[in-house]
Amino acid sequence: MTKITDNMRKYSSQVVDGVEAAPGRAMLRAVGFTDEDFKKPQIGIASTWANVTPCNMHINKLAEEAEKGANAGGGKGVIFNTITISDGIANGTEGMKYSLVSREVIADSIETVAGCEGFDGIVAVGGCDKNMPGCLIGMARLNRPSIFVYGGTIKPGYGHTDIISVFEAVGQHAKGDIDLIQVKQIEDTAIPGPGSCGGMYTANTMASAIEALGMSLPGSSAQNATSSDKASDCFRAGQQVIELLARDIKPRDIMTRKAFENSIRVIIALAGSTNGVLHLLAMAHAVDVPLTLDDFTEIGKTTPVLADLRPSGKYMMSELVAIGGIQPLMKRMLDAGLLHGDVMTVTGKTLAENLAEVADYPADQDIIRPFSDPIKKDSHLVILHGNLSPTGAVAKITGKEGLRFEGTARVYHGEEAALAGILNGEVVAGDVIVIRYEGPKGGPGMREMLSPTSAVMGKGLGKEVALITDGRFSGGSHGFVVGHITPEAFDGGPIALLENGDKITIDAETREISMAVSDAVMAERKAKWVQPKPNYTRGVLAKYAKLVSSASEGAVTDK
């Protein structure tokens, strides 16, 4: 056990030491503290448990394991809750506007509770998409010894299905390929129990990104939610945060520029979600590490896509777990000179030291391709600029959709109108579906366009149309899609001035997104444009809209 010293109680001592702290100690005795506990460093265990989603339904038990680990290490674990929402449930509805907002609420609540209660260290356990960056941002702001634990991935549903199978079934039904009974069968069996969505969607992307960043224990991102490995991961995290306290290793010591470069390379190799761009920008902002959209372009030029994982690929996260997770991939990337091995991690060792004894994948696996045969020779996360997005947009282009698309704009104000247009046959081959006023301010909240993109795929239009938006995409979205278009429509960006029939070109090789509309015509349209009234004038969405920065800056609220 790590030797406990007073300098490991920098914050809790302010709350419980001395006669003047007797009222506080009295309160804590009521929740189970003993005289001995007041001499221990307090470890806040931030749990995102809730029964609103399978991603988080089991996390109360994992938080208890982390508490046991902290106690076994010589500390005093204290569990507290923060919120979660479910994208899978809310997608396509007005409620989805709260999704990205929840990232800020989670970060704010962890900062608030830990800052108020004097926790010396933090373990945060997160499952669904926004939990992970929210936890990291909160821990980074506090800059106290901290570890993140991923709640783990879900097992596949019947017939190798997952939540995206259900979304795409809606489009297949609209096309007439399957009947209502078949939709019901997929609905009933696609989600078999606890854990985050099963492909390399946003949850698994962010879990992998955080492990690559060095803020999770090795292996944390690639464990099944209901496994003994995951319970052990939580216990060890509780113990290890005590060691971080003893050595005074804090998030800012780990979340360096080099660490973010490692994280970006790993999510590219894994064909991860476009949301990874948004969240890594926000996480870097929390520790004052300069990171821009252009960094994703530069790093992406020399980083191949190697993982054949859903949504664009074949395999699920549980199948990657079975062959060793992301540690062997990182070892390969380190050996190839693609990762910085000298960065510190929550183990108290460098990344290179963590990977030194990692065994390679089984010889017969085909989930992770060799460098000699990549799925794509450079990044699938393509940062686009042009007269349609002067300050940048984010595309997810694996090459399977093609690398260039030219079409005519079919413009919709909001996701619901676009989904109706796709399902009722209004959208046809050659269209560029434009969904606007869905940005961070305009929505507000930057909804994911999972329902429209899934409908496109279900209708068999995946290679026939493109979709662009100032909103964002689920990690489960695929097809020729471009999101995060900035400036957003609510701020009068060019996307607000598009009209039906305008010619649009998206070129992944030249990294351009442009419209064939002259500057003079655009000026005329801009002179007539009137900013819409805010959709919300009270409550959290109104506050968010007033505070939030551009998506090109991570959509942060404390810039």
Side-chain angles (χ1 to χ4, degrees):
M1 182 185 295
T2 304
K3 182 180 178 181
I4 304 301
T5 62
D6 282 344
N7 62 9
M8 296 166 64
R9 300 177 56 248
K10 185 185 301 183
Y11 300 98
S12 62
S13 63
Q14 299 174 34
V15 176
V16 301
D17 285 6
V19 65
E20 65 277 9
R25 290 196 298 272
M27 296 284 282
L28 290 169
R29 289 181 193 281
V31 299
F33 273 62
T34 66
D35 284 343
E36 287 302 309
D37 290 333
F38 294 124
K39 302 173 185 176
K40 300 172 183 177
Q42 291 186 31
I43 308 303
I45 313 294
S47 168
T48 59
W49 174 83
N51 216 32
V52 301
T53 169
C55 309
N56 296 67
M57 62 187 285
H58 62 302
I59 283 178
N60 56 335
K61 299 298 184 184
L62 297 183
E64 289 172 3
E65 290 299 315
E67 180 193 24
K68 291 175 186 175
N71 294 342
K76 175 59 178 174
V78 182
I79 298 174
F80 67 97
N81 259 87
T82 181
I83 66 160
T84 189
I85 54 85
S86 173
D87 295 352
I89 296 170
N91 247 304
T93 73
E94 186 73 5
M96 190 61 188
K97 292 182 177 180
Y98 290 91
S99 172
L100 187 58
V101 177
S102 77
R103 184 188 76 182
E104 307 308 303
V105 176
I106 291 165
D108 291 350
S109 63
I110 290 174
E111 179 188 358
T112 299
V113 175
C116 178
E117 300 303 320
F119 296 141
D120 300 295
I122 302 165
V123 177
V125 189
C128 204
D129 296 10
K130 310 313 163 304
N131 297 175
M132 284 163 271
C135 288
L136 264 289
I137 292 167
M139 294 189 299
R141 289 177 187 167
L142 291 159
N143 199 37
R144 302 176 190 183
S146 303
I147 297 179
F148 176 77
V149 179
Y150 179 40
T153 191
I154 198 170
K155 294 178 180 178
Y158 177 77
H160 210 243
T161 53
D162 63 10
I163 184 62
I164 304 305
S165 308
V166 190
F167 276 97
E168 293 185 357
V170 175
Q172 291 170 319
H173 176 261
K175 188 182 177 185
D177 286 348
I178 61 175
D179 59 28
L180 285 173
I181 294 174
Q182 291 169 300
V183 174
K184 180 69 160 53
Q185 288 172 336
I186 296 170
E187 174 191 331
D188 287 352
T189 59
I191 312 295
S196 297
C197 299
M200 189 48 65
Y201 311 142
T202 303
N204 283 316
T205 296
M206 292 313 301
S208 301
I210 292 166
E211 182 177 329
L213 192 66
M215 285 297 294
S216 292
L217 292 175
S220 184
S221 72
Q223 294 166 335
N224 292 315
T226 55
S227 66
S228 59
D229 285 344
K230 181 46 64 184
S232 174
D233 182 38
C234 293
F235 185 89
R236 289 185 295 113
Q239 285 185 308
Q240 183 59 25
V241 80
I242 304 297
E243 178 64 19
L244 295 180
L245 268 170
R247 295 180 57 182
D248 197 29
I249 298 173
K250 300 184 287 293
R252 283 176 178 257
D253 301 316
I254 296 169
M255 298 171 67
T256 62
R257 168 70 190 207
K258 283 184 176 181
F260 277 100
E261 290 177 3
N262 286 347
S263 192
I264 292 169
R265 287 197 188 275
V266 168
I267 66 169
I268 291 171
L270 291 168
S273 165
T274 52
N275 282 317
V277 178
L278 190 75
H279 296 324
L280 285 172
L281 289 171
M283 288 157 55
H285 169 73
V287 288
D288 297 316
V289 168
L291 193 69
T292 69
L293 287 176
D294 290 339
D295 291 318
F296 286 83
T297 296
E298 290 306 309
I299 293 169
K301 289 177 181 178
T302 55
T303 309
V305 177
L306 300 172
D308 189 16
L309 293 167
R310 292 189 180 189
S312 59
K314 176 181 178 183
Y315 293 100
M316 291 190 178
M317 191 66 180
S318 57
E319 292 165 300
L320 181 60
V321 170
I323 64 166
I326 73 168
Q327 288 283 296
L329 171 63
M330 291 174 65
K331 179 72 180 326
R332 288 183 179 186
M333 295 177 74
L334 179 67
D335 291 345
L338 290 176
L339 299 182
H340 302 288
D342 59 346
V343 294
M344 179 55 64
T345 73
V346 292
T347 64
K349 300 177 181 178
T350 66
L351 180 67
E353 289 172 326
N354 289 343
L355 295 173
E357 303 301 322
V358 170
D360 198 15
Y361 292 116
D364 60 347
Q365 68 84 29
D366 61 353
I367 301 174
I368 303 295
R369 298 273 192 90
F371 290 107
S372 60
D373 183 30
I375 291 171
K376 191 170 184 284
K377 65 180 176 59
D378 53 10
S379 181
H380 67 301
L381 298 174
V382 183
I383 308 302
L384 304 171
H385 290 85
N387 66 352
L388 187 45
S389 185
T391 52
V394 182
K396 184 178 183 181
I397 300 173
T398 64
K400 295 178 181 180
E401 313 85 355
L403 296 173
R404 181 182 171 88
F405 193 97
E406 294 184 46
T408 54
R410 191 171 295 273
V411 181
Y412 296 98
H413 286 227
E415 178 182 6
E416 289 84 355
L419 180 61
I422 295 164
L423 293 177
N424 68 21
E426 185 176 85
V427 171
V428 297
D431 281 348
V432 177
I433 305 162
V434 179
I435 307 179
R436 63 190 179 195
Y437 295 105
E438 290 285 4
K441 297 176 185 177
M446 206 178 180
R447 285 192 291 184
E448 294 178 344
M449 301 298 114
L450 180 56
S451 292
T453 59
S454 297
V456 164
M457 300 306 292
K459 292 272 282 186
L461 291 169
K463 295 184 178 181
E464 308 298 329
V465 302
L467 190 153
I468 68 173
T469 180
D470 54 3
R472 60 195 176 93
F473 295 109
S474 162
S477 293
H478 56 127
F480 212 106
V481 298
V482 182
H484 309 204
I485 288 180
T486 59
E488 63 174 283
F490 190 80
D491 283 338
I495 190 173
L497 310 177
L498 277 171
E499 296 182 359
N500 284 326
D502 287 345
K503 300 294 183 183
I504 296 174
T505 300
I506 306 163
D507 194 318
E509 292 188 302
T510 62
R511 302 185 183 90
E512 292 180 288
I513 181 167
S514 60
M515 52 186 175
V517 182
S518 71
D519 291 344
V521 170
M522 288 296 286
E524 289 176 11
R525 294 180 183 179
K526 185 64 181 283
K528 298 176 183 177
W529 177 79
V530 177
Q531 185 181 59
K533 292 181 179 180
N535 288 324
Y536 290 85
T537 57
R538 292 287 187 275
V540 68
L541 291 177
K543 288 189 287 186
Y544 181 85
K546 289 178 180 178
L547 292 171
V548 70
S549 72
S550 168
S552 63
E553 299 172 324
V556 298
T557 54
D558 62 349
K559 191 170 179 63

